[in-house]
Amino acid sequence: MPLSLDKAGIETRLETLNARLELPWRLEDGKLRKVFEFDNFVSAFGFMTQVALLAERMNHHPEWFNVYRRVEIDLTTHEAGGISERDFELAAEIQRLAQF
Ligand code: HBI
């Protein structure tokens, strides 16, 4: 069972995650959030397809919303009732798939 991180734990990990990113992940409404914008719908959906396969491999799944070329991603750990290490692991892997 994953444990939820406290505020300090989240802040430390956010700094590491965002260290080399142009656009950062943020803590919003108790979730790790980032909005990705692509050139077009096909690129956005291609990214979502890769993230879906990744999420299955990791057994950890995003909450997300897509309109046209915009993909909004929220990460939280339902089992933990908050943000856990798993969310940061998934966010880091998502970043490997997106060049932002
Ligand atoms: N994804 N975001 C998220 N949070 C969970 O708690 C979670 C999940 N994917 C799979 C999963 N839990 C399973 O381990 C359980 O639902 C069995």
Side-chain angles (χ1 to χ4, degrees):
M1 170 81 87
L3 295 175
S4 73
L5 295 163
D6 63 14
K7 185 120 176 86
I10 291 170
E11 293 300 339
T12 309
R13 286 163 180 81
L14 259 182
E15 275 180 33
T16 305
L17 174 64
N18 288 331
R20 272 167 253 95
L21 298 183
E22 208 169 298
L23 299 171
W25 289 79
R26 296 185 194 285
L27 180 61
E28 237 178 86
D29 296 328
K31 297 176 183 179
L32 267 192
R33 179 175 176 80
K34 185 163 178 175
V35 177
F36 295 86
E37 292 240 345
F38 295 86
D39 289 343
N40 52 52
F41 175 70
V42 170
S43 296
F45 200 78
F47 167 72
M48 292 178 76
T49 303
Q50 291 187 74
V51 172
L53 297 174
L54 168 69
E56 267 302 283
R57 280 202 303 278
M58 295 180 74
N59 192 30
H60 198 65
H61 301 82
E63 298 173 11
W64 54 10
F65 181 76
N66 161 242
V67 176
Y68 181 36
R69 60 192 185 88
R70 180 182 169 92
V71 181
E72 302 176 14
I73 297 184
D74 286 304
L75 302 180
T76 184
T77 303
H78 308 118
E79 286 174 89
I83 295 174
S84 75
E85 294 282 7
R86 288 190 191 175
D87 297 303
F88 283 96
E89 288 162 11
L90 180 55
E93 292 298 324
I94 288 173
Q95 280 304 146
R96 282 189 231 280
L97 298 175
Q99 301 306 316
F100 296 98

